[in-house]
Every structure is written in structure tokens, then in C-alpha cells.
Amino acid sequence: MSSSFTGLRIGRLQNRLPLLSVSPQSQLLPRRFLRSPLLLRPPRQDPTNNVGKSRAIHFPSLSTSLSTQNRSSLRAVATASASSEMVKAIRVHELGGPEVLKWEDVEIGEPKEGEIRVKNKAIGVNFIDVYFCKGVYKAPTMPFTPGMEAVGEVVAVGPGLTGRKVGDIVAYAGGPMGSYAEEQILPASKVVPVPPSIGPVIAASVMLKGMTAQFLLRRCFKVENGHTILVQAAAGGVGSLLCQWANALGAIVIGTVSTKEKAAQAKDDGCHHVIIYKEEDFVSRVKEITSGNGVDVVYDSVGKDTFQGSLECLKIRGYMVSFGQSSGTPDPVPLSALAAKSLFLTRPTLMQYTISRDELLGAAGEVFASVASGVLKVRVNHTYPLCEAAKAHADLESRKTSGSVVLIP
């Protein structure tokens, strides 16, 4: 029990009236307890017991014995106060760049029904975190803790919960937001078990990106042997996985990158053709590679800088899959731009493809199986302490990173 309650003890006199014995330490009681109806009525002095430093007081409104309800209320207040504690987390109080990420103390309680409390071991960094900080996507609250992906150990489970236990290593990705923290409360339905063969850092780096690659390749547009695809930002976290997975499926993979170093990585990840877009026009190069036919599908996470060119790279009835906007929001697209080649355009999000528990388990299971079998080689090229999340965001936004970025609490 918290030291805040050392000044509180419940007793009874011979007449069976309940007493509260209050010492000077009672000023340490939590405010929510001091607002209790039990303490709002003025007490009267008990002449039979005013010896010593403590002063015994009667509460006339109380019956001759504390009711079960009152006892439960007192226990609940004590438990809530005792179980709340402070952990460190990144907080955002105003929208902006990396400078808005602040390292602060936050209060965390115990999990309620259907929830678990997780002590994070590794936290994935994704461009969606940047979008929330900048206000491209609206956070549900302000201030807020960013982060959509983490792996950790279950340290507490809510009442009546089955299927999860203390000590389990679990991962989640996509929601709820708030993974940039030492510990967090999560709905048990949103986490998946992590196979013992996959470490926390690898799992945290591949959950969101891997499940994104899975639904893009297997469900949004089903890539098959013989398809030709274009991956913008091929050396990025999702791009790297897309190239590897598509290559394993038998597709011809074309990737764009910004530097020669990233070009070497993209080649290693299975790109058959790599275009350094700062040195040559990727639209002309794609047309050359495909003999003017274009590609079956474009996976574009860059947005404004590449969107129009990506449309031009598509073949007739091709699929434009825009799943990010690291360079900014693309300009509006008139329907006539799609009609020219009967194109398909979609702007999918992971959360819409993992709505049901079965969808979530299926996607995560396929990702972990692909990692275990060697189909996916996870590149964790950058790790930062959690308290340096602002630096991680700065490097990510300036395109200094490749592969996955992970925060370590």
C-alpha cells in the first residue's frame, strides 16, 4: 500500500462506531480521496479518545458498521492510488517537426477488463508517426504519445482475461497509438504472440512494415509470378520488404532510390532494376525497361514528388497503390487522369486490412513465417534510445536512414 495511506487507519470504539484516526501525515492523502463523501461532512471531537498525537474523530453519517459498499470503495481508492505509477514516455503537446517530441513522466495504471500492461523492449519507428506529429493525420487527443508498433513483455493482465499471461512476449502494430513509452496499456485483442525464434528488436522492426508489405502484395494487389512492379523508396523500411517478398513471388522488381549506397541495398534485396532518381528520370527509365508497356502495379510511399510520375509508369489497367506521403500530400487527381488508361487507384491503410482478429493473426503469422524461413531479411540499420526519439525522427525525415529504425527503452 502507498505511503500516502500511513496516516489512515480504520478502527472502532466499544460503541462499535467506526473511527478514522488522523495523524499529521494525513495531509498526504490523494486529492481524490479527500473529495470522498466520507470526508465532506464536518467531524465532531470524540472526548473519549484525545490522548496522544492522533486525534480520533467520529463521522455521524456512518452507520454502526461500514457497509460492504463503503469498504469496497475505500479498497478501490487505495488500490487505484497504490497501483498508479510513473513511467517515461515521449509526449507531443503541439504539432510540428522533431522538436515537438518531449521526454516526460506519465502516469500509468493497471489494466482493466480485456486489457494488458506491457513493458516495452523495442519500439518501431514509422513515417506514420511523423504524419501524426505534423498533423497530416489527426491524433485522437492532445497531448499524445506517438508510436504504432512495439514488442514487450506482459507485466499485468486485466480481470477475467484469458489467453494472455504475465511473462508473455507480445507484439502489436497499427493501433492504438502510444508505443513511444517504457510501458503501456493495450487491448489484449490487438497483440499477437512473438515466436521464440524472433528477437524483440527484429519483431518490433518488422511488425507494422511487414504486415503492410503483406497486405499490399497479397491482398491490395495480388502479385504473382511474371508481374512487373515498381517500388518507390525501395531501400526504405517497407520498400526493402516489398522488394524481397515480390522477388520471392516471381515478380520483376524495379526500385527507385536516392543514393548509390541505397542502390546497392536495393539490389541485395531483390531489385532486378534500380533507378537512382536524382541521376535519371525514373519515368523514362521504367518505360525503357518495360519496352514502353509500363508496370502492373506501383507501390508509392513518397507521395507528392513521385505521384504523377508513378501514374505515367503504369500499363493499361494498371494499379496505383499510394500508401504514404513522405514528400508531402499528392496534388488532387482528376478522374480523366485515370480514364486515359483505365487505371485503378487506391489509398489503403493497414488498420483496414487487420480489422478482425483472424485477419490480424493471419497477417502477423505470415510475416513471422517469412522471416523465419529467410524470405524476408530484416534490416535494422538504426537504433536509438527511446529518449532520443526526436533525433530518430530528424534522421528519418531527412532520408538519412535506410531499412528499419528502432527505439530501445
Side-chain angles (χ1 to χ4, degrees):
M1 184 173 289
S2 167
S3 60
S4 300
F5 282 79
T6 55
L8 173 64
R9 58 183 184 272
I10 299 178
R12 297 185 182 180
L13 291 179
Q14 291 180 352
N15 60 6
R16 311 300 291 173
L17 283 176
L19 295 178
L20 286 178
S21 191
V22 182
S23 73
Q25 289 175 302
S26 63
Q27 60 186 319
L28 299 177
L29 285 169
R31 290 184 179 180
R32 61 173 173 264
F33 184 83
L34 293 175
R35 289 197 296 268
S36 167
L38 296 177
L39 298 181
L40 291 179
R41 303 181 187 234
R44 65 180 173 83
Q45 183 86 21
D46 175 18
T48 66
N49 185 11
N50 57 7
V51 180
K53 295 183 180 180
S54 296
R55 179 169 53 89
I57 52 178
H58 284 301
F59 289 88
S61 62
L62 296 178
S63 61
T64 56
S65 65
L66 281 175
S67 68
T68 302
Q69 181 179 0
N70 284 337
R71 287 181 183 276
S72 298
S73 297
L74 286 173
R75 279 197 299 268
V77 170
T79 300
S81 178
S83 62
S84 295
E85 59 183 89
M86 305 303 286
V87 299
K88 286 288 189 180
I90 296 293
R91 297 288 282 168
V92 174
H93 295 266
E94 58 181 340
L95 300 177
E99 72 282 354
V100 303
L101 298 171
K102 306 299 181 184
W103 181 239
E104 298 179 352
D105 289 316
V106 297
E107 186 175 343
I108 186 170
E110 291 302 312
K112 301 181 179 65
E113 186 174 351
E115 295 180 334
I116 57 175
R117 179 169 164 177
V118 178
K119 183 179 180 65
N120 286 332
K121 292 177 173 289
I123 300 157
V125 177
N126 300 278
F127 245 104
I128 193 172
D129 306 334
V130 174
Y131 298 154
F132 276 111
C133 291
K134 288 182 176 294
V136 176
Y137 299 156
K138 186 178 170 130
T141 61
M142 183 65 79
F144 66 91
T145 295
M148 308 288 284
E149 174 182 39
V151 172
E153 180 180 354
V154 177
V155 294
V157 298
L161 184 67
T162 59
R164 295 268 67 85
K165 64 182 184 302
V166 172
D168 285 351
I169 303 300
V170 297
Y172 94 100
M177 187 164 56
S179 65
Y180 284 22
E182 292 177 327
E183 297 186 26
Q184 63 185 133
I185 302 293
L186 289 170
S189 62
K190 296 296 184 182
V191 305
V192 299
V194 178
S197 60
I198 299 178
V201 172
I202 295 297
S205 72
V206 79
M207 264 293 286
L208 191 144
K209 300 174 188 67
M211 290 199 299
T212 298
Q214 189 271 345
F215 89 80
L216 291 176
L217 291 168
R218 308 304 294 144
R219 300 177 64 195
C220 194
F221 175 89
K222 191 162 185 175
V223 172
E224 296 176 346
N225 183 47
H227 281 146
T228 302
I229 78 170
L230 172 62
V231 179
Q232 301 282 15
V238 175
S240 171
L241 299 178
L242 283 172
C243 293
Q244 295 177 56
W245 212 331
N247 181 288
L249 292 170
I252 299 170
V253 184
I254 305 171
T256 68
V257 296
S258 59
T259 67
K260 290 181 179 179
E261 291 76 19
K262 290 184 178 181
Q265 178 188 305
K267 271 282 190 185
D268 191 46
D269 283 338
C271 274
H272 300 89
H273 306 276
V274 182
I275 302 168
I276 302 176
Y277 63 80
K278 290 185 176 180
E279 298 181 1
E280 55 185 334
D281 179 66
F282 74 84
V283 177
S284 299
R285 185 74 180 103
V286 167
K287 289 181 178 178
E288 180 184 338
I289 294 169
T290 61
S291 301
N293 292 323
V295 298
D296 293 280
V297 59
V298 177
Y299 294 109
D300 191 330
S301 63
V302 178
K304 187 178 181 65
D305 291 351
T306 58
F307 189 89
Q308 191 58 46
S310 291
L311 286 176
E312 294 178 36
C313 290
L314 288 168
K315 65 166 49 174
I316 291 175
R317 299 195 304 272
Y319 278 72
M320 173 66 180
V321 182
S322 173
F323 68 99
Q325 49 203 45
S326 59
S327 67
T329 304
D331 295 328
V333 180
L335 288 176
S336 57
L338 305 179
K341 290 190 284 187
S342 296
L343 301 178
F344 296 87
L345 169 62
T346 183
R347 181 63 172 89
T349 62
L350 173 62
M351 284 72 85
Q352 301 300 325
Y353 281 83
T354 54
I355 293 177
S356 72
R357 180 71 178 165
D358 286 343
E359 287 178 323
L360 174 63
L361 291 173
E366 192 170 348
V367 170
F368 288 142
S370 296
V371 173
S373 68
V375 168
L376 294 182
K377 179 172 51 180
V378 182
R379 297 179 180 275
V380 185
N381 293 340
H382 311 272
T383 60
Y384 302 78
L386 175 57
C387 61
E388 294 182 11
K391 185 176 187 327
H393 273 225
D395 291 347
L396 185 65
E397 291 184 53
S398 63
R399 302 193 185 184
K400 292 180 180 177
T401 65
S402 63
S404 297
V405 178
V406 175
L407 303 174
I408 308 297

